[in-house]
Amino acid sequence: MSAARRRSRGLGRAAFALALVAGAGCSTEADDAPVPRHVVMIVIDTLRADALGCYGAEGILEPDGSRRSPTPNLDALGERGIRFASVESSSSWTVTSAVSYLSGMTPMEHGVNSKLISAIPDDVPLLPMALDEAGFETAAFVCNPMLGPKLGFDRGFDTFDRDKFAPAAPAVNKALAWAKERVAASPDRRLFLYVHLFDPHWPYDPAPEEAARFALPESPLSPEQQVTASMGALTGNVEAAQQLLDWVPWCLDAYSACVTTADRETGRLLKGLEALGILDDALVVATSDHGEEFGEHGAIGHAKQLYAESLRVPLLIAGPGIPSGRLATEPSELRNLAATVSSHLELNGECRVRGLDLLDPAARARGASQDHVAAVQQGILPREEGGFRRVLQMMSLRRGRERAIVGFETRFEGGEAWIETLDESGYSLGRRRADLTGAEGPILPLLAELQERAESARLGAELGASDLDERKTQLRELGYFGASEDDETDDEQR
């Protein structure tokens, strides 16, 4: 038995006493259906919902003048099951979001919000742990360098393979090889396969065949220059910020080309699992950890702000007992994914995740009326003279057609607030600065609730010194960290 599995089974009942699935067993859209034998979860990093054809993305122009969807395989998965039209992640930062959608907890509840030193606390239950406890053979094939054993992401997995920064094809090859081996060795064993692809992630470096398909000109900046410009913009360099904004058209096409690659490999994964006899008896989920900004609020990338473009993600769920061609329009939180899977599989073990079952329309209605909370550390706020300034903590709370966003200079002190008015889809109609003292009257309850949640937030577990050095290196490679010494001192103030 792996160390990760021993940890997952070694936690006592008290640790999970309050982590209960809300609405378990109430999947009215899948009543009287056979419980799927397997689970396949595909997370495509940095995938905006509107980058998919089924969410309205503009098609690729063909030589005959017609347009073809950039994501035919993901579109087909949505047609097989339920497409969720309005889902937001719990953060614009991978690590925080992933802990939320695997546990059902908000960032304030699980505490994994620091880009540097947060690891998953031992008492946070994760979906892989629940599936492991239920007897599933579990495996993860991960390309994002941030998701690794030192932060606790291997908990509950029998096999955990992380190939940092790898393109999708090798990860899919390894996932299919694992599935083939397990089917041959234990044909009656239930399988949980988690695949986390990285292709659309900044810096954009599309495959040559996809770049040609999009008629993409040579990049004005190398991947290394992309990272340098991004870090400069984050520290208030107006010239660097403008350079990135001038570069948006190329970024959009390059990003779309990378999304097309991820879709193609997703299709290959699903076809391979179908050939092995797994797919027809599997609950299949496709989603993302967060979106991506393209200048809507002055920045490119993610992990900086908490607007819809960096929070809204696709969510497609298909499998036995799930009606095809359904559209769920209610605003939903991605953190409910763990509870949705757990409920549909009728898991009732000791390890239980939190959240609502999104396959239950009544639960979705309850969720739509609740506040949606997100957080990211080391975010940015606009400067009046242009560019941005860094803030240590950033949190947002969406309620109806308004979103409150607060940036804190230190740990929940010295805050600056903005109120954003939203359209029906959750995108911004405009924003204005808000008075944290409550002088604006009607928005006081929204800000007061956010302040209360911030003050009650827990801290994640801390990494050791050697692990911290490795993490800093990874963050520098991705342009999240290292633009100035303030990055290190900021995180020490958390």
Side-chain angles (χ1 to χ4, degrees):
M1 182 183 295
S2 69
R5 294 183 68 189
R6 287 197 297 271
R7 286 200 299 273
S8 74
R9 289 176 175 169
L11 297 175
R13 293 179 182 272
F16 301 110
L18 297 179
L20 302 177
V21 175
C26 299
S27 305
T28 56
E29 286 188 318
D31 281 347
D32 302 321
V35 175
R37 285 183 49 77
H38 311 297
V39 182
V40 177
M41 185 178 295
I42 304 165
V43 178
I44 301 175
D45 212 292
T46 320
L47 183 61
R48 289 171 60 129
D50 58 8
L52 277 64
C54 59
Y55 283 86
E58 185 179 57
I60 302 171
L61 185 63
E62 299 286 14
D64 63 2
S66 64
R67 289 193 176 272
R68 177 176 57 83
S69 171
T71 55
N73 296 292
L74 290 167
D75 297 348
L77 180 62
E79 292 172 0
R80 281 183 48 208
I82 298 179
R83 178 170 68 88
F84 293 81
S86 182
V87 174
E88 290 190 352
S89 62
S90 296
S91 180
S92 56
W93 167 243
T94 297
V95 172
T96 303
S97 174
V99 179
S100 287
Y101 67 67
L102 290 174
S103 71
M105 295 181 175
T106 69
M108 285 67 81
E109 291 168 337
H110 60 63
V112 186
N113 194 33
S114 168
K115 288 191 175 74
L116 272 177
I117 60 179
S118 284
I120 304 172
D122 287 340
D123 64 347
V124 172
L126 302 175
L127 178 62
M129 297 162 61
L131 292 167
D132 174 57
E133 181 188 70
F136 282 71
E137 183 88 9
T138 58
F141 298 90
V142 176
C143 301
N144 188 310
M146 298 291 105
L147 304 180
K150 291 177 180 177
L151 295 188
F153 282 101
D154 63 332
R155 293 178 191 170
F157 285 109
D158 299 296
T159 298
F160 190 91
D161 182 285
R162 182 180 60 167
D163 191 354
K164 302 176 184 178
F165 306 109
V172 169
N173 291 341
K174 287 187 282 189
L176 289 174
W178 173 85
K180 182 178 181 179
E181 178 186 352
R182 298 323 303 155
V183 167
S186 304
D188 296 329
R189 191 76 183 271
R190 303 178 77 182
L191 304 178
F192 170 50
L193 174 61
Y194 178 94
V195 180
H196 194 118
L197 306 179
F198 197 64
D199 296 70
H201 196 284
W202 170 284
Y204 312 122
D205 189 18
E209 61 270 28
E210 301 300 348
R213 186 173 298 173
F214 279 81
L216 195 65
E218 184 178 348
S219 170
L221 297 176
S222 69
E224 293 76 15
Q225 289 172 321
Q226 293 180 39
V227 171
T228 300
S230 175
M231 290 193 296
L234 291 181
T235 56
N237 185 317
V238 177
E239 182 178 348
Q242 187 57 52
Q243 180 184 34
L244 290 179
L245 293 179
D246 292 342
W247 191 47
V248 163
W250 186 91
C251 285
L252 283 168
D253 285 343
Y255 172 81
S256 297
C258 294
V259 168
T260 298
T261 299
D263 176 81
R264 183 184 67 242
E265 291 301 315
T266 296
R268 190 165 68 88
L269 174 64
L270 296 177
K271 288 182 176 67
L273 295 174
E274 183 178 27
L276 292 170
I278 294 173
L279 193 65
D280 290 342
D281 202 6
L283 179 68
V284 182
V285 176
T287 188
S288 183
D289 48 352
H290 52 73
E292 188 80 325
E293 300 178 50
F294 290 104
E296 294 90 345
H297 290 88
I300 294 178
H302 58 271
K304 309 176 186 76
Q305 304 191 89
L306 294 172
Y307 299 105
E309 56 268 19
S310 55
L311 294 178
R312 191 177 178 195
V313 296
L315 178 59
L316 311 168
I317 302 180
I322 297 177
S324 61
R326 293 289 182 90
L327 177 65
T329 60
E330 301 91 340
S332 302
E333 292 180 276
L334 184 63
R335 70 180 180 88
N336 289 312
L337 180 57
T340 300
V341 173
S342 180
S343 180
H344 193 62
L345 296 177
E346 300 179 0
L347 302 184
N348 294 300
E350 177 181 306
C351 180
R352 292 192 167 194
V353 293
R354 294 184 185 179
L356 300 170
D357 179 2
L358 294 179
L359 294 175
D360 176 10
R364 288 202 303 269
R366 291 198 302 275
S369 65
Q370 296 175 355
D371 296 335
H372 293 190
V373 181
V376 68
Q377 193 175 47
Q378 292 179 323
I380 58 175
L381 290 173
R383 297 178 184 269
E384 292 184 4
E385 64 273 20
F388 301 95
R389 66 182 182 88
R390 300 291 292 271
V391 291
L392 178 63
Q393 298 278 356
M394 180 173 283
M395 302 180 66
S396 76
L397 187 148
R398 176 182 172 183
R399 179 180 295 168
R401 299 284 289 273
E402 283 193 325
R403 187 195 312 271
I405 299 175
V406 179
F408 298 96
E409 297 287 355
T410 58
R411 183 169 167 78
F412 310 127
E413 295 179 352
E416 176 181 317
W418 293 77
I419 296 294
E420 186 182 31
T421 303
L422 309 174
D423 64 16
E424 292 181 356
S425 299
Y427 287 101
S428 177
L429 292 174
R431 61 180 176 174
R432 65 188 188 279
R433 290 192 64 167
D435 186 350
L436 279 174
T437 64
E440 296 195 21
I443 66 168
L444 177 60
L446 193 66
L447 290 172
E449 173 69 17
L450 187 55
Q451 183 81 16
E452 182 178 343
R453 289 178 186 242
E455 291 172 351
S456 64
R458 71 184 293 187
L459 295 177
E462 294 192 3
L463 293 174
S466 61
D467 296 335
L468 181 59
D469 289 340
E470 178 185 349
R471 189 158 179 80
K472 287 178 181 178
T473 299
Q474 293 172 345
L475 289 166
R476 289 189 184 100
E477 290 175 335
L478 290 170
Y480 296 126
F481 176 80
S484 71
E485 295 179 357
D486 292 341
D487 289 317
E488 298 187 34
T489 57
D490 277 353
D491 216 77
E492 293 169 357
Q493 296 176 29
R494 64 192 287 273

